[in-house]
Structures are given as C-alpha cells and as structure tokens.
Amino acid sequence: MANMMKGFAMLGIGKVGWIEKEVPKCGPLDAIVKPLAIAICTSDVHTVYEGALGERTDMILGHEGCGEIVEVGSEVKDFKVGDRVLVPAITPDWNSLEAQAGYSMHSGGMLAGWKFSNFKDGVFAEYFHVNDADGNLALIPDGMSVEEACILSDMVPTGFHSVELADVQFGDTVLVIGIGAVGLMAVAGANLRGASRIICVGTRPVSVEAAKGYGATDFISYKEGTIEEQVLAMTGGKGVDRVCIAGGNVNTFESAIKSLKPGGRIGSVNYLGSGDYVNIPRVEWGCGMSHKQIMSGLMPGGRLRMEKLSSLVASGRLDVKPEITHVFHGWEHTAEALELMRDKPKDLIKPIVIPD
Ligand code: NDP
Ligand code: ZN
C-alpha cells in the first residue's frame, strides 16, 4: 500500500478541494478500508458551508460509505483483508463509560462517537481508518449493492432513530417534518412500527413520490402556511401523537410542539446548522405542564445496529433503492455531487460516488 493518498477535504469554511495526506495508520483494534462507494450527506453541507462544527482546516470530508478492508490490526478477530464491509457514520469507542451508559454515540464526549469528518479524517479518500473494527464494522450481505450499502451508513439508522426517539406505537398518527433521505427513512420506520397515519412535510416531487411508497398517507407544504395550522386542520384540531423531525431549522420545534397532542413526543434528528436558540412556545407547551416530550439525538452506530438494519434490507422488508437518485462513477465527480447536495434540485434525494 502506498504511503500517501488523495482525499477530498474541507480546506476551511466554505472551501473544498483535493489534498494529499499520509495513509492512516492501523492500530491493533482498527481497520484500514478502501471505499467501494461513498455518499454525500446534508451534514457535509452544514459542516462546510455553514461552519456548523466550527473551523476545520484540511479535514477530509465524508462519513457515509462502504468499502473493502485492506489492513486489519493484530487484535481484530472477526474481519480480514478483502472483506466487504458496511461502515456506520458513527463509530463509538465501545469500552467508554458513555457507551456503557447506553449513549455510545457520545463516547468520549458529546457527539464524539461521530469521528469521521469531525474528529478525524472522513471517508472521501483513497483509504480511511475505522476504530474498533470488531465493534463497528459489519459484512455487506450477499446480493446487496454498494449503493444500497451506503444508505445503511447514516440514512437508515438516523431516520429510524427519529422513530425510536418519538417512540412510535401501533395506530399512532405521526407527523414527519422533512422528507429528504433521512425523513423518508423515518416514514419507512414509522410504517414498520405500525403508524396508522403518516403526515409528511416536504415539497420535492421525487421525495413526495418516494414517501408514498414508504407509507405516507398525507402531505403538507411548509411553503403554504404554517405546519401546525395545516396539521390541526387535518386532524380535527386534535394534533398528532408523534413528530419526527428530519428537516427545517431552529424554528421547527415550535411547529412541532403546536402540532402535538398532550403527552405526545418529538423525535428530532435534525442537525441544526445555524441559530443560537430553540424556542418552545409556552402556551402550547401547556405552560410547561403538557407532557409533550422533546427527544433529540445523534444516530447510534456500531456493528449490531448495522447487522440488524442491513437484515431488514436483505430480507426485503425495507427497500432503500428509491433513496438513490444520482450515481457518479469516478472520484472526480465528488465536488459535483457535493454541489448537488447543496443546491437540492427537485429530482435529488441522495447522490453516490463510486470511485471505480
Ligand atoms: P434534506 O435537505 O434532503 O431534506 C430536508 C427536508 O426538510 C426536505 O423534505 C425539505 O423540503 C424539508 N424542509 C426544508 N426546509 C423546511 C422547513 N423550513 N420546514 C419544514 N421542512 C423543511 O436533508 P436530509 O434528509 O439529507 O437530512 C435531514 C437532516 O438530518 C439534516 O439536517 C441532516 O444534517 C440531519 N442528519 C442528522 C443525523 C443525526 O444523526 N442526527 C445524521 C444525518 C443527517 P423540500 O422537499 O421542500 O426540500
Ligand atoms: Zn450523513
């Protein structure tokens, strides 16, 4: 293996480009992986163009992808060179106290389980490093394409996490705010959990079509009046049992609280790229006594999660193909794919780059 590699990096806030770096070193528990495919995420856009994580210099971008192992550490037991692997966007340190407390995504500090393109170089490179290979990698199931494998890095686990956070129950009416690649997986997850009605907020026609396929029953547009007015009109003034938030901004919580029944629950996985405060409307929050709960979180990562979620795809219970609208061949298309994610044209859900 060469000593040096190329990576597509954030050079500073608002600036991206290809740089050369040393190939990462493999510790005893780690693996070095060569990407088979990578996916661009809205979070990459927040990171680069909104500076949401703060300044970063020459940090290789990307946290979504799958790959082939090219090196394993001396203590890795279950994976070997040549294995084709799913790679979660979040790769916790499984022996940390935070992981033992049930919050592996915060292992080592708040959000610190999110290592790729945050605390270390990401996956948009000829090679990338995975900590705790036995704890974080999973084999790509037979018959699964590399494009589908990319959707398992972040979109499926994050969308499904919003459903877990909102604690969707049989027969619930669920509002899903945002039906990009993440929100669509919230729709699919809410449907699998037995929601009776799934009201979606989003306007891109390609997303609306995909949402119907995943079980959406009603649609509203945030561009045509407030979300809460439309939700209350549709539900006879009662509101919804659960809200999954996968789009919008700091003001979206206000709409979510106003759309929710007393005792209802919000599960937000939205990455708030800007704004200093989230406002909660006092009166609609029952003057603080409504039992309307707000849960929010970073997706859980790790091998078990990858194995379970990929089994849903492998068994045919979940089809992730409608998420994949753009596939590029060749690393040289990475910048174009990132630009697409920034511009969000009407026909886009998820762009993928296959290095070839
Ligand atoms: P997209 O930008 O593709 O989708 C956003 C959705 O929100 C679209 O349906 C869009 O509608 C809708 N929307 C935009 N503005 C508003 C608004 N003002 N009010 C209500 N809805 C609005 O994003 P992704 O699906 O890729 O990602 C969703 C979020 O999840 C991002 O913030 C991303 O960073 C975050 N994320 C969080 C993770 C976690 O672990 N917590 C992991 C990965 C991503 P329209 O159809 O009109 O465009
Ligand atoms: Zn992502």
Side-chain angles (χ1 to χ4, degrees):
M1 201 165 40
N3 280 337
M4 301 299 287
M5 64 172 195
K6 289 194 169 45
F8 185 74
M10 170 171 176
L11 309 177
I13 293 176
K15 286 197 222 106
V16 292
W18 285 93
I19 58 171
E20 282 235 325
K21 277 202 172 176
E22 273 186 28
V23 173
K25 302 265 177 293
C26 188
L29 297 169
D30 308 339
I32 304 298
V33 176
K34 179 180 155 60
L36 292 169
I38 54 112
I40 315 287
C41 183
T42 305
S43 305
D44 297 315
V45 174
H46 293 311
T47 300
V48 174
Y49 295 105
E50 291 167 19
L53 296 173
E55 190 57 89
R56 297 283 194 281
T57 309
D58 294 347
M59 175 183 74
I60 295 176
L61 286 166
H63 53 267
E64 297 183 22
C66 62
E68 183 178 317
I69 296 180
V70 295
E71 187 178 351
V72 285
S74 54
E75 290 179 36
V76 173
K77 296 184 187 72
D78 298 337
F79 295 92
K80 58 182 189 315
V81 170
D83 282 346
R84 291 157 62 90
V85 285
L86 299 165
V87 184
I90 305 304
T91 52
D93 296 311
W94 288 98
N95 60 0
S96 65
L97 294 179
E98 292 86 355
Q100 290 180 33
Y103 292 94
S104 59
M105 63 294 273
H106 302 296
S107 61
M110 191 162 63
L111 306 182
W114 173 11
K115 298 182 189 305
F116 293 128
S117 143
N118 184 10
F119 290 105
K120 70 175 185 185
D121 283 326
V123 306
F124 298 174
E126 289 174 293
Y127 302 99
F128 61 87
H129 168 269
V130 179
N131 59 295
D132 195 351
D134 283 328
N136 284 317
L137 294 174
L139 293 175
I140 300 178
D142 289 343
M144 183 180 286
S145 70
V146 293
E147 293 94 324
E148 291 171 292
C150 281
I151 302 298
L152 281 156
S153 278
D154 189 354
M155 299 300 94
V156 182
T158 299
F160 276 48
H161 194 45
S162 74
V163 172
E164 292 166 331
L165 290 171
D167 195 23
V168 173
Q169 303 287 324
F170 301 128
D172 276 346
T173 295
V174 181
L175 173 67
V176 179
I177 302 180
I179 47 169
V182 174
L184 286 171
M185 289 299 100
V187 175
N191 197 29
L192 280 168
R193 281 232 175 157
S196 61
R197 192 176 182 192
I198 304 175
I199 304 171
C200 292
V201 181
T203 65
R204 270 177 280 154
V206 66
S207 291
V208 169
E209 275 318 301
K212 285 179 188 163
Y214 284 126
T217 54
D218 307 79
F219 290 89
I220 58 181
S221 166
Y222 60 95
K223 295 176 181 168
E224 291 167 16
T226 68
I227 293 171
E228 60 273 21
E229 276 166 5
Q230 298 179 72
V231 168
L232 293 173
M234 266 180 180
T235 55
K238 288 195 161 61
V240 297
D241 300 295
R242 316 279 161 179
V243 183
C244 296
I245 305 183
N249 49 47
V250 287
N251 299 320
T252 305
F253 287 85
E254 185 171 342
S255 291
I257 289 284
K258 290 179 175 173
S259 301
L260 205 55
K261 286 180 191 168
R265 190 148 148 173
I266 296 170
S268 176
V269 289
N270 205 23
Y271 175 5
L272 300 172
S274 56
D276 290 330
Y277 294 97
V278 171
N279 288 317
I280 305 302
R282 182 182 62 83
V283 173
E284 289 84 355
W285 205 36
C287 304
M289 299 176 283
S290 63
H291 289 102
K292 295 185 185 183
Q293 302 168 68
I294 305 169
M295 301 290 287
S296 68
L298 178 66
M299 65 161 258
R303 174 174 173 181
L304 180 64
R305 182 86 172 165
M306 285 293 102
E307 289 184 351
K308 287 204 174 187
L309 294 179
S310 66
S311 74
L312 276 176
V313 178
S315 66
R317 300 262 288 150
L318 174 67
D319 181 7
V320 295
K321 289 193 283 297
E323 295 265 78
I324 305 158
T325 52
H326 294 65
V327 179
F328 296 93
H329 289 267
W331 276 126
E332 67 274 19
H333 295 289
T334 310
E336 187 183 344
L338 178 66
E339 272 305 303
L340 265 181
M341 207 55 178
R342 187 184 182 189
D343 292 347
K344 297 275 158 72
K346 286 189 165 49
D347 62 344
L348 178 111
I349 299 180
K350 197 77 177 171
I352 285 182
V353 178
I354 299 179
D356 282 338

